[in-house]
Structures are given as structure tokens and as C-alpha cells.
Amino acid sequence: MMSPQANHADNNNDAKKLKLEKTGATKPSRVIHIRNIPNEVTEAEIIHLGIPFGRVTNVLVLKGKNQAFLEMADETAASTMVQYFTTCVAQLRGRAVYVQFSNHRELKTDQTHSNANASAQAALQAAQALSGSTPNEVQGGPNTVLRVIVEHMVYPVTLDVLHQLFSRFGKVLKIVTFTKNNSFQALIQYPDVVTAQSAKLSLDGQNIYNSCCTLRIEYSKLSNLNVKYNNDKSRDYTNPGLPTGDAGMEMGSMGALGPLGLGMAGLGAGAAGVLASPFAAMHGLGSPLTGPYGNSAVGAAAGMPLAGFSLPGAANALGAAGLRLTGQPGGSCVLLVSNLNEEMVTPDALFTLFGVYGDVQRVKILYNKKDSALIQMAEPHQANLAMTHMDKLRMFGKQIRVMPSKHLNVQLPKEGQPDAGLTKDYTTSPLHRFKKPGSKNYQNIYPPSATLHLSNIPPSVSEEEITEAFAKNGFQVKGFKFFPSFGKLLKEDASESVLELSSDLKDRKMALIQLSSMDEAVSALIKMHNYQLSEQNHLRVSFSKSNI
């Protein structure tokens, strides 16, 4: 005999009370019918779809039937929700779901026969409390522009990271970032209030990375951002033709903030110099973190409670946006890379390339599928960074795909197991770039581009020697420039230090080198990183944010 628990697992008793609706109802109702939901979806995730449109009064999830019902407080809210999802696809955990009116006028659930009743009630109470408190917390009232403050910023948060995060809830039109009172802040504009509200409800109070980079979000009083420059401080995604600004002007990004009315509510700017970012023109703008889960206007969490249904700060913001990697609570450290050029790829090549974004621990090219590999990073946020910047990147002539793996770690081959050198352990490698938590190297992480940043150049090595080394390895150098010298301390005594400015090339330990294409730069980084320039010096290579 089937146990009561098994019988209730799919809410079968409730399913009998609500006839499943095969076709969309055209008559408005405050009950919404949602089809094609994933089996593992929670009540909180269903409720989250409705929160931006009004108060949610009841929910029923029929997991065995892949359907759910959501009851709104009134027909107006329900109509707004249905209308909204006729123009954009709703998604839960990466699966498209279909939103329509229900034939039912209200949602009656049996309080004694729904084994999900307790969690449903808890989620409803949390949603109602959250919705009820929102108007008192906002700065400018519900609006299309959000003001985002990042607290406890142990690791750098870039404009591109914010774009990936906030794009999970809909199209981001514009972003302006700046620093105020030593805190990193951003203004983010959506096309409509519903999308902005959804992002705020999901991400406010969440951490971008585990235990740090906490998001504090409120509505801005501005209804539109006037962006002058597209660079790593500000960007207008609706106008890709904007100039990058003057790289030499310290207040370059202030020009982007000037028209915003920064006297409002203490909002100000102390922005750093503007340098062009190649990210806007590159391959993976809309896909790196969101790619494996698809794009949606209103996202829902993947394998975790949504913001508002858990203690503030307890969840990772990437998870709240539907970006949490599967496998372990903080996200997986293991990435699955596919569509590799199996004739050219090696564990060392993957170690070097992915090492730009984190410390690679192990690499395993799959023995029976050599165009795919597993890469284990030291920390989950490093895996996120690598996936952000390298999904859809061209490597050795093929566009690779990078996505989370279900594996928690990469297993080394057992003794006697065929491997042919396809698995390598790099745990103790001296080439790791991020050994110390909060390493300054995090501040120099940029998307792939045709320009590479070279460092650890010995005084004895000239521009000609470096360019010749690249040419000998098959790379066409389009430009080269040493970084300007900032001087050399000549003498120091008890009373003064004398700093003499010098243009001597021997003081220049860093340079930019421009290749013919981004594809070639990727290959050059793999080949030339750790290239021996002298007895003591090995070249360090990474991607640059600026061009020559």
C-alpha cells in the first residue's frame, strides 16, 4: 500500500480539486496558471514570479504535473502579470514556463492534504512582509533606476559583473559606477518598474561572493541616466557607439555622472580615470553567467531560497539571481568546458588560460571525449569569473562553451587507469596568481582582448627582443608600448628623499603588446605566459583593459 507521504508528494489530493487546464483561459482571473515548471521548483520561486506585480495571496505547486497556480490579491495585478509575460518569456531554473489566466476564480487548497502547506505558508508570509515593507524603505519610490551600494567589498566588483547579475531580471539599459565615501556604488536603469522591482526584491541584502560584497539596493529619484561614455565605469547598452572618454583624465567618468543631478540625497562621485573596456564589443556580453540558465525577464533562484525568504546576507547574490552553481552550498569550483580543439588543447594550455581568472587546481581532458574538459578552480567565485569571461571565447580556432559542472572536484586517475596524461594536478603550482585572499591581482582582471599586459620584464630586455620572441612563436605583433616610468629613488637620508624622474627604458618592467586579433592574443597568452626572458625572469602575461 502506498504511504500517505508518497501519495502527497505530488500534491495529488489538491490536483483532484483543481482540474488541470490544457488551454489558456481568456477571461481575466486573479488566479494565474503556470505550466512546464521544473520538478524541483519551490513555492518561493513561484511566488517570486508574482511579487513584482502585486500582493500574492496563495500558491499551489503540483510538482508531479509540472504545473502551479498563483493567486494574486486582485485581477488587476494578475492581468498585469499575464500581459507582461506575453512580451517576454518567464523562466524558472533555466526552463521556459507559460503564464496564463486560470479558469478558477480563487485558489482553494486543502489545508490538511498538502504536504507543501507549511513551506507554502512560510513563503507567502515572507513575501507579504517583504512587499509590505518595501514602500517605507525606498529612497525615491518604485522606479526604473536602482541605486546599488556594495558593502564589505573584499573582491573587486566591476561594471560587467553587475551587468551579468542584474541582467537575469531583464534587459539592463544603462549602468553608471562610481565611488562615494570609499564605497563602490552604481546606478542601474531598467526599461520598466516591474523589472527593477523584481531585481531589488531578489538582490537587496545578498552577497555577490560568499560572506562579502553585500548589495544594498534602493530606488533612485532619477528616472533616466544620461551616459556620455561607454567604458569600464559607465555604459549605455542602447547606444554602443558612444566614445570611451579620455583615458588620461582622472575625472573622465565624472563627465558621465555630471548630468545625473548628484546633489540628491547625498549621492556623489569620486571616480577613477576612464580606460576603454573591450567587453562591450566582445563575444560573451549577454552569456557568460547567464548562458547556462537562459535569459529571462524575471529570474528565479536555482537550488536556493530567494531573497526575502531567507536571512539577509545568508545567500549568494548570484544564486538569488538564478546564477548559483550547482553542487555545493557556495557554488561549484568545477567547470565543464566543451567544444575544445582536441588536436591542440592540453591540460597546461587550459591551466594557463583559466589561470587568468583564478587558481586552477586540476584539469582533466575527458578520455573518451577529448573536446571536453573539467577544470577545478580554487574557489567558486573564481569559477564564476572564468565562466563570465570565457564562455563563447574562441580558443585555437573553436568557440568554447564554459558552464558549471555537477562534479564537486576533479578526480585524479587511479593507478593503472588509462589517462594518457590528460589529467594534471596544479595544486602546488608556483604560477598561481591569486594565492592570497583579496589579492591585488583581482583588480587587474579584464575580459579577453587583442591587447596583452606584460610584466616581470628584466631591465636587460628590449622592445625588439620581446617582439621578436612573440614573432618566433608565430604571433603577429601590431603594437608595443612600455609603461612610462614613474621614477627611481636615488638617495635617502634622515631629512629627505629625492625622487628623480627618469624616462630610461631600463626602469620599465611592464608593457602592452597588441596582436592581430583576440583569437591570436588568446593563443599568445597561453604560449608566452611564463616565457623565460632571462636567467631570473619569466614573463607574466594577462589581458589588458586598454589598447595601444
Side-chain angles (χ1 to χ4, degrees), residues 16 32 70 81 141 151 159-160 265 286 301 304 317 330 338 340-341 348 401 448 479 492 513 540:
K16 293 176 181 177
I32 303 293
L70 191 67
M81 180 176 174
E151 298 177 350
L159 181 148
D160 300 313
M304 58 160 290
S338 57
L340 293 163
N341 184 333
D348 286 347
R401 294 307 311 268
E492 184 174 1
I513 189 167
R540 297 288 179 260

Coordinates of all heavy atoms in Angstrom, one line a residue, residues 16 32 70 81 141 151 159-160 265 286 301 304 317 330 338 340-341 348 401 448 479 492 513 540:
K16 N -6.7 16.9 -7.6 CA -8.0 16.4 -7.9 C -9.0 17.6 -7.8 O -10.0 17.6 -8.4 CB -8.4 15.3 -7.0 CG -7.6 14.0 -7.2 CD -7.9 12.9 -6.2 CE -7.1 11.7 -6.5 NZ -7.3 10.7 -5.4
I32 N -3.5 32.7 -11.4 CA -2.6 32.5 -12.6 C -2.2 31.0 -12.7 O -1.9 30.4 -11.7 CB -1.3 33.4 -12.4 CG1 -1.7 34.8 -12.2 CG2 -0.4 33.1 -13.6 CD1 -2.3 35.5 -13.4
L70 N -1.0 30.4 -8.9 CA -0.6 31.5 -8.1 C -1.8 32.5 -8.0 O -2.4 32.9 -9.0 CB 0.5 32.3 -8.8 CG 1.3 33.3 -7.9 CD1 2.0 32.7 -6.8 CD2 2.3 34.1 -8.8
M81 N 0.5 40.9 -14.7 CA 1.4 39.8 -14.8 C 1.3 39.0 -16.1 O 2.3 38.7 -16.8 CB 1.3 38.8 -13.6 CG 2.2 37.7 -13.6 SD 2.0 36.7 -12.1 CE 3.1 35.3 -12.4
G141 N 10.9 56.0 -4.3 CA 9.7 55.3 -4.8 C 10.0 54.4 -5.9 O 11.0 54.5 -6.5
E151 N 28.8 46.8 -0.1 CA 29.4 46.9 1.2 C 30.4 45.7 1.4 O 30.2 44.7 0.8 CB 28.4 46.9 2.3 CG 27.4 48.1 2.3 CD 26.4 48.1 3.4 OE1 26.3 47.0 4.0 OE2 25.7 49.1 3.5
L159 N 31.7 46.7 -13.4 CA 30.5 47.0 -14.2 C 30.0 45.8 -14.9 O 28.8 45.6 -14.9 CB 30.8 48.2 -15.1 CG 29.6 48.7 -16.0 CD1 29.8 50.2 -16.3 CD2 29.5 48.0 -17.3
D160 N 30.9 45.0 -15.4 CA 30.5 43.8 -16.1 C 29.9 42.7 -15.2 O 28.9 42.0 -15.6 CB 31.7 43.2 -16.9 CG 32.2 44.3 -17.9 OD1 31.4 44.9 -18.6 OD2 33.5 44.5 -17.9
A265 N 20.2 63.5 -2.2 CA 20.3 62.5 -1.1 C 21.7 62.1 -0.8 O 21.9 60.9 -0.5 CB 19.4 61.3 -1.3
G286 N 26.2 38.9 -23.2 CA 25.0 38.5 -22.6 C 25.0 37.1 -22.1 O 24.0 36.6 -21.6
A301 N 15.4 31.6 -8.4 CA 16.6 31.0 -7.8 C 16.8 29.6 -8.3 O 15.9 28.9 -8.7 CB 16.5 31.0 -6.3
M304 N 18.0 27.3 -4.3 CA 18.2 28.0 -3.1 C 17.0 28.9 -2.8 O 16.2 29.2 -3.7 CB 19.4 28.9 -3.2 CG 19.4 29.9 -4.3 SD 20.5 31.3 -4.0 CE 19.6 32.1 -2.6
A317 N 24.4 36.4 -3.9 CA 23.5 37.1 -4.8 C 23.4 36.5 -6.2 O 22.4 36.5 -6.9 CB 24.1 38.5 -5.0
G330 N 28.1 26.9 -1.6 CA 28.6 28.1 -2.1 C 28.8 28.2 -3.6 O 29.5 29.1 -4.1
S338 N 33.6 22.7 -23.1 CA 33.3 21.8 -24.2 C 33.6 22.6 -25.5 O 33.9 23.8 -25.5 CB 31.8 21.4 -24.2 OG 31.0 22.5 -24.2
L340 N 36.2 22.1 -27.4 CA 37.7 22.4 -27.5 C 38.3 21.8 -28.8 O 37.7 20.9 -29.3 CB 38.4 21.8 -26.3 CG 38.1 22.4 -24.9 CD1 38.5 21.4 -23.8 CD2 38.7 23.7 -24.7
N341 N 39.4 22.4 -29.2 CA 40.1 21.9 -30.3 C 41.0 20.7 -29.8 O 42.0 21.0 -29.2 CB 41.0 23.0 -30.9 CG 41.7 22.5 -32.2 OD1 42.0 21.3 -32.4 ND2 42.0 23.5 -33.1
D348 N 48.0 21.9 -19.8 CA 48.8 23.1 -19.5 C 48.2 24.3 -20.1 O 48.2 25.4 -19.5 CB 50.2 22.9 -19.9 CG 51.0 22.0 -19.1 OD1 50.5 21.7 -17.9 OD2 52.1 21.6 -19.5
R401 N 32.6 26.5 -24.9 CA 31.5 26.7 -24.0 C 32.0 26.4 -22.6 O 32.6 25.4 -22.4 CB 30.3 25.9 -24.4 CG 29.6 26.2 -25.7 CD 29.3 27.7 -25.8 NE 28.6 28.2 -24.7 CZ 27.3 28.3 -24.5 NH1 26.5 27.9 -25.5 NH2 26.7 28.8 -23.5
P448 N 38.9 39.0 -22.2 CA 39.9 38.8 -23.3 C 39.9 39.9 -24.3 O 38.8 40.4 -24.6 CB 39.4 37.4 -23.9 CG 38.7 36.7 -22.8 CD 38.1 37.8 -22.0
G479 N 51.5 46.2 -32.2 CA 51.9 47.4 -31.5 C 52.6 47.0 -30.2 O 52.3 45.9 -29.6
E492 N 68.4 58.5 0.0 CA 67.5 58.8 1.1 C 68.4 59.0 2.3 O 69.3 58.2 2.6 CB 66.5 57.6 1.3 CG 65.5 57.9 2.3 CD 64.5 56.8 2.4 OE1 64.6 55.8 1.6 OE2 63.6 56.9 3.2
I513 N 51.3 44.8 -25.4 CA 51.6 44.3 -26.7 C 50.3 43.9 -27.4 O 49.4 43.3 -26.8 CB 52.5 43.1 -26.6 CG1 53.0 42.7 -28.1 CG2 51.9 41.9 -25.9 CD1 54.2 41.7 -28.1
R540 N 55.2 37.4 -17.4 CA 53.9 37.2 -16.9 C 52.9 37.9 -17.9 O 53.1 39.1 -18.2 CB 53.7 37.8 -15.5 CG 54.6 37.2 -14.4 CD 54.0 35.8 -14.1 NE 54.9 35.0 -13.2 CZ 55.8 34.1 -13.5 NH1 56.0 33.8 -14.8 NH2 56.4 33.5 -12.6

